[in-house]
Amino acid sequence: MSSNFAGKAELSTDRSFARSAWLLACAGPFIFLTALILVALYGAPEHDDFCFAYENVRYGFVPTVLHFYTGLSGRIVPLLIIQIPAAVAQAASSSILPAYVATLIAFALLFIAGSAFAMVRMWPNVGGPALIVLMLGFPAAIAGATPSAHDLLYWLPGLACYVPPGLVTILILGECVYAIDREQKFSIQATTWAVVAAFLSATCNEFTAVWLVAILAASLLARFAFGQKMQGGHHCIIAAAVVIGWLIVAAAPGNGQRMAAVDSGWDLSFSIRDGLEFSLIDLGTLLVSPSLIGWLVLVVAVSTAIPAPKKRDGRREKWLAWGIVAVCLGCWYFEYFLHQLITGARLVDRAQNQALILIVFGFTLSSAFLARIYWPQLREKLALGGASISFDKPVWPLLLNAMIAISLYFSTTGSRLRLERATFDAFWEEAVERDGLLASSPDQVVKVPRHRWKPATLISADITSNIGCVARYYHNKELIAVDPPSDGAR
């Protein structure tokens, strides 16, 4: 009896330590994401923001959308999102700076929440602190590997066109895979939210609709191959919403005017070749990203620690693992190709962020399936001291905690934040001074100092970019950009 009691007490102690260790493992991604949110406190509008702000203050949301729809772009949802800070500032009779910061923080939280929900749906049989690690680790891995944290989190025109549709895409992909893996049907509720979300995301840019249609087509093909109920009606309704959203974007008169201004676009062979070259270069960069490597190791470890499913289909799991990678890589390349075709230039960083969200999610799904396929071998290989990997063993979360913390510390974004952190306060002070000068100066001709401090995390273009929009927002003054004062003049 005493031996049995001692064994139970030891097991209970191990579990208690393991739970504490899993909570500790949350610290790395939690601190990293918190730091990213706090950086948004230094955010400030730039160039394009002021064009939308002026239009919103003068005309309102709908007329502004119609104006840009006919003259610039058919991306309806981003056209609405970018106006939010100006509308909030006008309603509160305040500067645009705090409204802009609040909007950035709201969308940073939305990015984290959407990414976390995708992990909850992916691992319904994982709970407690281990699930929290996954929920925080996924957005941290994306933010750590991004080619531009500025465009992902700190510049509204950059994130509005690509982050929301990126999140919708992975959620729809996740639901398709979830249903196929568990041989389940789409519910009415899931279909309804997918229709609405797919329609809105299709109006965010020109390529998301193609992604979503490809994912839905792959879902139908997989259901047919595995002998499952097709639910063609549900898929077609979602696809119809996607097509309608894409037609709204494609039919915008502003698209024709914008594309006509590009002389180097619409070279098919050039776009196929260069799109492939640049997509492979950026994919190679991503594959050696510390945050991605650390994240995928975590995914494999957690998937190995989960007890093997009672009902499994190894053939289906292998097809899903490699099929997901194929679909995501195809979408990745298509975005590069389409951008090259339309603009004649390499895919910009802000658009790469949407591709990044999809490809990291695709690799996550595939890694989880591969870990399930090779579950016995992995448990044998990952055994420490003869003990298999388990949620109840504190050594594993401690090791994973160290690995996650190191991978995020040395990630692209982590390294840049450490390099630029000392300049954030100075940049913010200059932004506040500039806003105060432009809002209060009685002169019609105002000399505006350029930023002396320009952390790439927070700024991509100074006052000289779209200076006319800045002038109109600040009461139609004529602005003249001048060199910033020297240290002695400040």
Side-chain angles (χ1 to χ4, degrees), residues 33 36-37 40 77-78 81 84 101-119 135-136 138-140 142-143 152-153 156 159-171 193 197 200-201 204 357:
L33 292 173
L36 293 177
I37 293 173
V77 170
I81 291 174
I84 292 175
V101 167
T103 306
L104 291 180
I105 291 175
F107 274 92
L109 293 174
L110 177 65
F111 162 68
I112 295 171
S115 303
F117 182 72
M119 294 299 98
M135 293 168 63
L136 297 176
F138 179 55
I142 294 171
L152 179 71
L153 296 170
L156 211 53
L159 70 88
C161 296
Y162 303 105
V163 175
L167 293 176
V168 170
T169 300
I170 64 171
L171 289 173
W193 80 254
L200 294 175
S201 65
C204 288
I357 293 171

Side-chain angles (χ1 to χ4, degrees), residues 91-214:
S93 299
S94 69
S95 163
I96 195 174
L97 289 180
Y100 199 80
V101 167
T103 306
L104 291 180
I105 291 175
F107 274 92
L109 293 174
L110 177 65
F111 162 68
I112 295 171
S115 303
F117 182 72
M119 294 299 98
V120 172
R121 292 296 294 158
M122 182 174 167
W123 275 290
N125 53 341
V126 176
L131 180 60
I132 298 175
V133 174
L134 294 169
M135 293 168 63
L136 297 176
F138 179 55
I142 294 171
T146 177
S148 173
H150 170 264
D151 293 345
L152 179 71
L153 296 170
Y154 308 120
W155 184 45
L156 211 53
L159 70 88
C161 296
Y162 303 105
V163 175
L167 293 176
V168 170
T169 300
I170 64 171
L171 289 173
I172 290 178
L173 173 60
E175 288 300 318
C176 290
V177 173
Y178 181 94
I180 293 170
D181 181 44
R182 291 163 177 78
E183 301 184 36
Q184 294 180 357
K185 301 178 182 178
F186 283 155
S187 66
I188 298 297
Q189 294 82 358
T191 304
T192 301
W193 80 254
V195 166
V196 175
F199 168 76
L200 294 175
S201 65
T203 66
C204 288
N205 54 57
E206 292 76 18
F207 62 85
T208 299
V210 179
W211 279 15
L212 291 174
V213 170

